[in-house]
Amino acid sequence: MGKAYETVIGLEVHVELATKTKIFCSCGTEFGGAPNTHTCPVCTGMPGSLPVLNKQVVEYAMAVGLATNCDITRNGKFDRKNYFYPDNPQNYQISQLYKPICTNGYVEIKGDNGESKKVRIHEIHMEEDAGKLIHDDFNDCSLVDLNRSGVPLIEIVSEPDMRSADEVVAYLEKLRMIIQYLGASDCKLNEGSMRADVNLSVREVGADAYGTRTEMKNLNSFKAIARAIKNEQERQIDLIESGEKVVQETRRWDDAKEYSYAMRSKEDAQDYRYFPDPDLVPVIISEEWLEEVKSKEPEFRDEKMARYMEEFGLPEYDADIITLYKPLADLFEETVALGNKPKEVSNWIMGETMRLCKEESIDPDQIRFSATNLSKLIHLIEGSVINRGAAKEVFEEMFKSDIDPEAYVEEHGMKQDNDEDALREIVKKVIEENPKAVEDVRSGKDKAIGALVGQTMKATRGKANPAMVNKLLKEMI
Ligand code: ADP
Ligand code: MG
Ligand code: ZN
């Protein structure tokens, strides 16, 4: 008889903060750029250079802590985590071990049993990111790019409160939503601005103590996370069932091959020889400062949903989907502000946008088209410049590369033909050529008119105005 096992998961989530400059110097944080161009003596670890803390980093960390029900430390500080690696020019990372800025929080998710469940947050601390190594196989060497060195991060450490891949994804979606709403980060897993390390152990159902855990890295999407969890829980159960032990180690997930391999066994915290960073003053957070950050809290999802239903008359269903991702909500609001009908904008977001996101398997917060162009497209339909069939075609192009719909319609000769006399001739011909359908319409089968509309649209290569086609058909039959 196989035993029943339970999976226990805790996450360490790194989030790159959306500050303009790095955490301890005034270098820019933009992604990309020629290697080592966003650097200075501080973020390249030159002796004698001194770090100065970016106030915005502290405010973002506080805001995330407040939104996740944490206690905010009034008297924080930074520590050095010492290790050698070529992408870490100081030979230490400035982080927080002893006095993290936020502790003892939680977020609520929908648990496996369908009920609301709290996932506790042990702490959130601030730290700096490392640079990047680029391995050049051709010249058989590795190159160092320090543009990312010193980009601010927060690390959100959960308690081991999750029990399945579904709960992990729900937790990450919740964190992403909160942080996107705060504007503290864009939280893109595929670009690395949100990175989750999964700590996982298994134990027999009913056991008191947790099993030995492994930590898995290199997870770039929710799907990869779900696959990695399934694979790792099976691997651990197999080990235990065959009388072996799970080794506490860090493993790297290879999503293409769908397996993980050991990277290193877990170092003890003391291996890092943490000690307080003597170059930085303590971070004292006053009541006033905390109140000020609190007062700037944005409209979160629940309030936004209620407002969309109240102010724009959106159905709850629409409001629910649009507010799930802050960028979608922004797109909706900006397009409405450009003078479009809210329900019409919502229909394009809920319908075609979601359909194409699914088709191309991209998250809705990665859409590339602007509110300006969506607004133009809707205006083109409302002004009878193009019909809905053509609009869908234009939308697909817009979704791909944010083209300007007005220019595109012009260039591709897609304008709707509103010449009634010319259309009357075509309708006349369609009626002559389809006596059976015409007979059906005359004998009261209203649906038969659809076939005639279709024939007419085809004859005009999709450019006819469907309302006019309908009107003429009814008149002329
Ligand atoms: P360390 O200091 O060694 O990194 P932590 O106590 O900080 O360990 O835990 C790191 C992460 O691992 C946390 O998210 C925690 O919830 C999770 N974790 C700890 N023990 C277990 C376990 N037995 N099973 C699964 N996850 C665990
Ligand atoms: Mg840890
Ligand atoms: Zn710098």
Side-chain angles (χ1 to χ4, degrees), residues 12 155 157 266:
E12 290 161 285
E155 179 175 344
V157 184
K266 184 75 183 171

Side-chain angles (χ1 to χ4, degrees), residues 85-333:
Y85 202 68
D87 65 7
N88 170 31
Q90 301 158 133
N91 286 342
Y92 57 82
Q93 177 194 28
I94 306 180
S95 180
Q96 296 191 290
L97 179 70
Y98 301 106
K99 289 183 172 181
I101 181 159
C102 314
T103 50
N104 277 325
Y106 67 88
V107 294
E108 284 186 67
I109 62 162
K110 195 166 142 208
D112 284 335
N113 61 6
E115 276 162 36
S116 171
K117 161 174 182 169
K118 279 184 185 169
V119 175
R120 290 168 300 154
I121 290 173
H122 180 79
E123 66 173 76
I124 302 176
H125 58 256
M126 301 177 280
E127 60 189 26
E128 54 181 344
D129 209 344
K132 259 184 197 162
L133 285 186
I134 297 148
H135 303 289
D136 180 345
D137 290 333
F138 189 69
N139 291 307
D140 192 24
C141 64
S142 292
L143 303 162
V144 190
D145 177 8
L146 295 176
N147 283 350
R148 202 180 62 183
S149 169
V151 166
L153 298 174
I154 49 173
E155 179 175 344
I156 306 167
V157 184
S158 85
E159 298 291 350
D161 286 349
M162 286 155 279
R163 295 292 175 268
S164 68
D166 284 348
E167 289 191 352
V168 167
V169 170
Y171 169 74
L172 287 170
E173 281 180 336
K174 191 67 183 257
L175 283 185
R176 177 175 65 180
M177 187 173 65
I178 290 170
I179 296 167
Q180 283 184 347
Y181 266 92
L182 289 167
S185 173
D186 57 10
C187 292
K188 291 186 175 169
L189 271 91
N190 61 332
E191 284 182 12
S193 59
M194 185 177 199
R195 316 194 273 264
D197 299 338
V198 172
N199 296 272
L200 185 151
S201 62
V202 298
R203 63 176 169 184
E204 269 183 58
V205 169
D208 289 332
Y210 290 136
T212 304
R213 75 176 191 272
T214 59
E215 177 177 348
M216 211 151 18
K217 290 189 181 290
N218 194 36
L219 303 162
N220 304 328
S221 69
F222 287 156
K223 284 189 184 127
I225 290 171
R227 280 192 282 269
I229 288 174
K230 183 161 179 292
N231 181 282
E232 181 60 11
Q233 65 196 19
E234 281 167 8
R235 193 188 68 87
Q236 291 190 11
I237 291 170
D238 284 350
L239 280 176
I240 295 167
E241 292 271 282
S242 58
E244 291 172 65
K245 281 208 167 76
V246 175
V247 180
Q248 186 174 339
E249 62 193 0
T250 303
R251 303 180 66 84
R252 186 179 168 89
W253 175 249
D254 185 328
D255 199 46
K257 299 196 179 118
E258 294 207 26
Y259 87 115
S260 66
Y261 55 91
M263 281 166 74
R264 55 169 186 261
S265 63
K266 184 75 183 171
E267 324 82 328
D268 288 320
Q270 65 196 20
D271 283 348
Y272 289 120
R273 310 263 164 200
Y274 274 98
F275 66 87
D277 192 304
D279 288 344
L280 286 154
V281 292
V283 184
I284 309 292
I285 297 173
S286 66
E287 270 330 299
E288 290 85 350
W289 192 12
L290 195 60
E291 283 310 315
E292 193 194 315
V293 172
K294 253 189 216 165
S295 72
K296 282 193 261 178
E297 230 178 40
E299 178 186 50
F300 277 114
R301 187 179 178 204
D302 293 347
E303 297 159 73
K304 215 183 248 309
M305 257 184 83
R307 183 164 67 80
Y308 284 7
M309 287 153 67
E310 162 95 23
E311 187 180 330
F312 301 125
L314 284 195
E316 185 175 353
Y317 183 77
D318 294 37
D320 185 54
I321 293 183
I322 293 175
T323 56
L324 186 56
Y325 294 89
K326 175 74 174 7
L328 273 193
D330 289 344
L331 175 70
F332 170 77
E333 287 183 35

